[in-house]
Amino acid sequence: MDLEFNKNEDILLLKVAEVQKHLNNIYKGGGQKKIDKQHAQGKMTVRERIDHLIDDKNSFYEIGAFAGFGMYEDEGGCPAGGVVTGIGRVSDKWCMIIANDATVKAGAWFPISGKKNLRAQEIAIENRLPLIYLVDSAGVYLPMQDEIFPDKEHFGRIFRNNARISSMGIPQIAAIMGSCVAGGAYLPIMSDEALIVEGTGSIFLAGPYLVKAAIGETVDKETLGGAVTQSEISGVTDYKMPDDKTCLETIRDLIGKISDMPRIGFNRQDAVEPEFDPKSICGIYPETHSKSYDMHDLIKRLVDKDSMTEYKAGYGKTIICSYARIDGWSVGIVANQRTVVKNKLGEMQFGGVIYSDSADKAARFIMNCNQKKIPLVFLHDVTGFMVGKRSEHGGIIKDGAKMVNAVANSTVPKFSIVIGNSYGAGNYAMCGKAYDPRLILAWPSAKIAVMGGSQAANVLTQIQVASMKKKGEAPDKEAETALFQKIKSRYDEQTTPYYAASRLWVDEIIDPRTTREWISLGIEVADHGTIEPFNPGVIQT
């Protein structure tokens, strides 16, 4: 390994450490005082509950840990969106777990909480994963009710999904382990089975204060909707549990008795270790996004040794398309190539840019994978499609549309890993969030935006300067430079993986060394899902 490799590795591992530092703070939820208060009530914290529920600590893959990161600062913050979600193995079955964190605003739902819940339900639906809800929530965060209550993708969509999921035959089990009030009361009762913990769990449409205000009735919380009331008088819940631990163990028992879901049968052989150690993958990615590298070197640290069969290797070289195996699973890989390469005419092509020939190749490869029912893995490091007179005359829009069409209509499971740049229409063509990847994950080096910070700042600065000149207020060179730096700084902040993950544009920021593990997990759970017939529609040739 050379000096450049070691330098790259050190820089990326420092970014990994920074991610972990932020995660350690996120895992504290609302802070130690709130944790102590929950323990004093005889309740486990949300992460303690999940640890007790899953088979072992290595069998939980958190989704959306950075949701709300840096947002809602005026409201005191909302770590992890106030709800922990992830794919966990329970009684040897992969499940989607959705668990409120009562240390964060009493588990109240912020706008990002609703979005995160819907994303978790979406993953469960696509992969036919049993759902486990651990409910401990005060309901909608009232100061922001207009941003979470009335719209199509707001709070009510969660209950609509409860009904749809049930109709699909996907099991849903809910445990009422704390407050469950108002509209939120529908979630556990629209699940197939509901448990309630005695002494701490309660469920009602209106709490004692609202009942008093609405009808003048005085009633305590336990009498109104505690475990005894809802399990022995109303019959709303199915199981009364003495404590959190017993409740979680009962869920494990119930999940263990569920029949296995039918499998699609994606092709898998015995796994073979990659040609190069996957833990050395951080040394491949360059320290800056402007430097080139050979994507083949990175892929060789992800795929099983000697499993690559590259498609049209000598054509459209700015995209690599290859059949391979990851942890034994058959996959189709679509990856941006960041080195400067020569096309079939011997002309130099910029790395990370999608040209007509590479778009045409990728579209055909994606269709082939759908024909063969092979899951697709997209490795993003793309600055966009090639622009300019020659590209336009060559039909770059037509060829780009062909690739976007193939991605949009693809029905096999798709997994996107944002390694570096993911800019403009290149994000769409490489299966960005809008194109329904089963999982979309980001390395700490990822950048997602319409274009790079410098390019965007140049464009926006030129527009603002032109506008000022029209008003007779043209800035001097120093002021123009200051304006450029201000715009670039703001834009750069919005392209970071943290900004993307906080808004759930990506599901998680991952350690690059776990990429192979995440992809294998994704295909394993996708094998329980369904595949619709592939119909690419009208594609211009």
Side-chain angles (χ1 to χ4, degrees), residues 328-349:
W329 294 105
S330 172
V331 298
I333 294 174
V334 180
N336 303 114
Q337 175 62 291
R338 259 256 301 267
T339 59
V340 178
V341 297
K342 289 184 179 181
N343 67 11
K344 57 186 180 294
L345 300 177
E347 300 165 328
M348 302 307 290
Q349 293 185 331

Side-chain angles (χ1 to χ4, degrees), residues 189-230:
I189 308 310
M190 292 189 74
S191 299
D192 302 323
E193 294 180 287
L195 305 85
I196 186 167
V197 178
E198 195 168 8
T200 55
S202 60
I203 178 169
F204 29 64
L205 292 182
Y209 295 116
L210 184 53
V211 168
K212 178 69 172 176
I215 64 174
E217 182 179 70
T218 301
V219 61
D220 65 85
K221 187 168 74 170
E222 280 299 309
T223 304
L224 183 63
V228 173
T229 294
Q230 301 293 27

Side-chain angles (χ1 to χ4, degrees), residues 122-137:
E122 179 184 34
I123 292 171
I125 291 168
E126 289 175 331
N127 300 293
R128 298 185 66 82
L129 295 175
L131 275 146
I132 299 171
Y133 303 97
L134 305 182
V135 185
D136 194 346
S137 171

Side-chain angles (χ1 to χ4, degrees), residues 138-140 149 155-156 159 162 180-188 190 204-206:
V140 166
F149 171 67
F155 198 52
F159 315 135
N162 286 142
C180 188
V181 64
Y186 286 107
L187 184 148
M190 292 189 74
F204 29 64
L205 292 182

